[in-house]
Amino acid sequence: MDYRNRIIDALIERHLKVSGAVLIRGPKGCGKTESARHHSKSEVVVDDSPSIEIAMQSDPRVLLSGETPRLIDEWQEQPRLWNTVRHEVDRRRMKGQFILTGSANPVDAARLHSGSGRFGVINMRTMTWHELGWSTGEVSLSDIFLRKEIGSDSYAADLFLTASRLVIGGWPGHLDLGADEAGLGLSSYLELLAEVDLSRVSQARRDPIKIRRLLQSLARNTATECAVSGIAADTGGADGSLSENTVKDYLEALSRLMVVDDLPAWSPHIRSRARLRKSAKRHFADASLAAAALGMNTQGLLHDLQYMGFLFESLVIHDLRAFAESNGAKVFHYRDSNGIEADAIWENRDGSWAAFEIKLGFGGADQAAHSLLKLRETVDADQSGKPLALIAVTGSGFAHRRSDGVYVIPIQALGP
């Protein structure tokens, strides 16, 4: 198959020029290995041969021999490789020697030493709509931040198509699948997660039934600030609710597998006496996992447009984070005790920021603009600066700048 370019390709190349090794981490199936192969000249797959264990017992450095950059795929299956690579980078004193990929973070003790100064770290996500070709990318966020004029074609509301794409998700393996086939594949993905992966990464047997209920609870609460106590109560079965400590353990394991991807809260300086909310918003690594956890297909989403709106928000957050991370920026959400909120805050390294509201329907742009303008009044511009832009992302319509200065961009035109 021909390689399909990814947003992180340029980031990989930049890190290879400044670091001895590059770590690419992300959920299983997001395309890490193919992207790493695209940038490497030799490879070893750590979980694919019994000879790996023999090499680890005799001389792990044997696994590092090969043309560089050398890909070490699923390195976390042999956590000692982290220090082996670290020492080899020190010994060679050359850039771009290794690319490590992994779909689970090993326990912290396994690393023993930080890779600071030796490893460039890249978080990889499933494919954005722009990478999938579902967005033209004709409206660039970079252009908006530079105050350039924008415009796009008009995209009609097609809820069936949007729902289908939410079910399919951004998985490279789903490029040629329909919604029903993709949904079936994701159901198997979650089944293996519950039956095998969570116990493996936890190094302790986990109850698959409880894991399934937990995944369903997280799916029901996608794009909300649902507390651990709420999830514990929601996942209770005949034996009563799970303990909060058990839920925390499961969430920590899901985080190590990079299946959940919660969005932290933003803490700017504000003018009012309102209290800033500190809770993260719940998100999966891909919105399609939430639909799969609840067994929802395209028709199911069309019959519950409110929930579809939450999944659409999660989708846009996913894409914004992919765009931001490729530029060294971060994404947060904002909410205070006065009820002022923003679905996403883009913050650059220099502290400059932009705010986003996300609406499935183009008709929600007025409400989004009202919320964004209230946020601009609330944030202390002397301390946190004025926003680079206020942006409403919608599921249809055309890109334009409103008379009040708020940008409206349909997801079908959104690009980095």
Side-chain angles (χ1 to χ4, degrees), residues 125-128 285-286 313-322:
R125 303 180 182 277
T126 55
M127 300 176 79
T128 64
D286 192 286
E313 177 182 333
S314 191
L315 156 71
V316 176
I317 293 296
H318 165 280
D319 286 14
L320 290 177
R321 292 174 100 171

Side-chain angles (χ1 to χ4, degrees), residues 51-63 80:
S51 63
I52 300 296
E53 188 63 44
I54 298 173
M56 290 301 300
Q57 293 173 3
S58 56
D59 184 2
R61 289 180 300 174
V62 171
L63 302 177
R80 286 174 51 210

Side-chain angles (χ1 to χ4, degrees), residues 213-218 220-221 224-236 241-244 247-248 251 262 282:
R213 290 203 299 260
L214 176 67
L215 292 170
Q216 290 168 353
S217 178
L218 291 172
R220 283 190 289 270
N221 291 289
T224 75
E225 298 169 67
C226 186
V228 169
S229 59
I231 296 172
D234 193 31
T235 53
S241 65
L242 295 181
S243 72
E244 291 188 29
V247 170
K248 289 177 182 178
L251 291 175
D262 292 346
R282 305 288 179 185

Side-chain angles (χ1 to χ4, degrees), residues 204-377:
R205 179 62 181 166
R206 301 298 186 184
D207 185 343
I209 295 175
K210 292 179 180 178
I211 295 169
R212 293 187 196 100
R213 290 203 299 260
L214 176 67
L215 292 170
Q216 290 168 353
S217 178
L218 291 172
R220 283 190 289 270
N221 291 289
T222 291
T224 75
E225 298 169 67
C226 186
V228 169
S229 59
I231 296 172
D234 193 31
T235 53
D239 299 329
S241 65
L242 295 181
S243 72
E244 291 188 29
N245 286 336
T246 299
V247 170
K248 289 177 182 178
D249 286 345
Y250 284 2
L251 291 175
E252 192 274 335
L254 288 170
S255 179
R256 285 178 55 202
L257 286 165
M258 291 164 277
V259 172
V260 296
D261 195 12
D262 292 346
L263 186 68
W266 190 48
S267 298
H269 295 276
I270 60 176
R271 294 190 176 96
S272 72
R273 295 179 180 272
R275 297 185 307 278
L276 297 178
R277 303 300 191 190
K278 301 294 186 181
S279 299
K281 276 192 175 184
R282 305 288 179 185
H283 290 278
F284 280 93
D286 192 286
S288 61
L289 289 173
L294 296 176
M296 297 191 76
N297 58 16
T298 301
Q299 291 298 329
L301 291 180
L302 292 175
H303 288 135
D304 190 347
L305 292 181
Q306 182 179 19
Y307 182 68
M308 182 174 165
F310 284 117
L311 290 195
F312 181 74
E313 177 182 333
S314 191
L315 156 71
V316 176
I317 293 296
H318 165 280
D319 286 14
L320 290 177
R321 292 174 100 171
F323 297 160
E325 288 164 358
S326 68
N327 288 285
K330 296 183 180 298
V331 177
F332 305 87
H333 79 92
Y334 177 89
R335 190 165 74 92
D336 63 32
S337 59
N338 287 341
I340 297 172
E341 59 184 323
D343 293 326
I345 301 292
W346 174 303
E347 187 176 70
N348 291 314
R349 286 175 179 163
D350 63 3
S352 59
W353 60 279
F356 296 78
E357 275 284 280
I358 302 163
K359 301 294 181 183
L360 177 59
F362 186 64
D366 286 342
Q367 181 184 352
H370 177 75
S371 297
L372 292 167
L373 293 169
K374 290 289 289 183
L375 173 67
R376 185 175 65 184
E377 295 172 4

Side-chain angles (χ1 to χ4, degrees), residues 23-28 32 74-77 79 82 101-111 121-123 197 200-203 252-260:
L23 170 63
I24 305 175
R25 57 190 183 188
K28 185 182 298 184
K32 299 180 300 299
E74 297 295 345
W75 74 273
Q76 80 284 346
E77 296 297 325
W82 179 270
T101 63
S103 54
N105 290 316
V107 292
D108 291 340
R111 295 190 180 185
V121 180
I122 299 173
N123 294 319
D197 293 342
R200 175 177 54 82
V201 78
S202 301
Q203 298 180 328
E252 192 274 335
L254 288 170
S255 179
R256 285 178 55 202
L257 286 165
M258 291 164 277
V259 172
V260 296

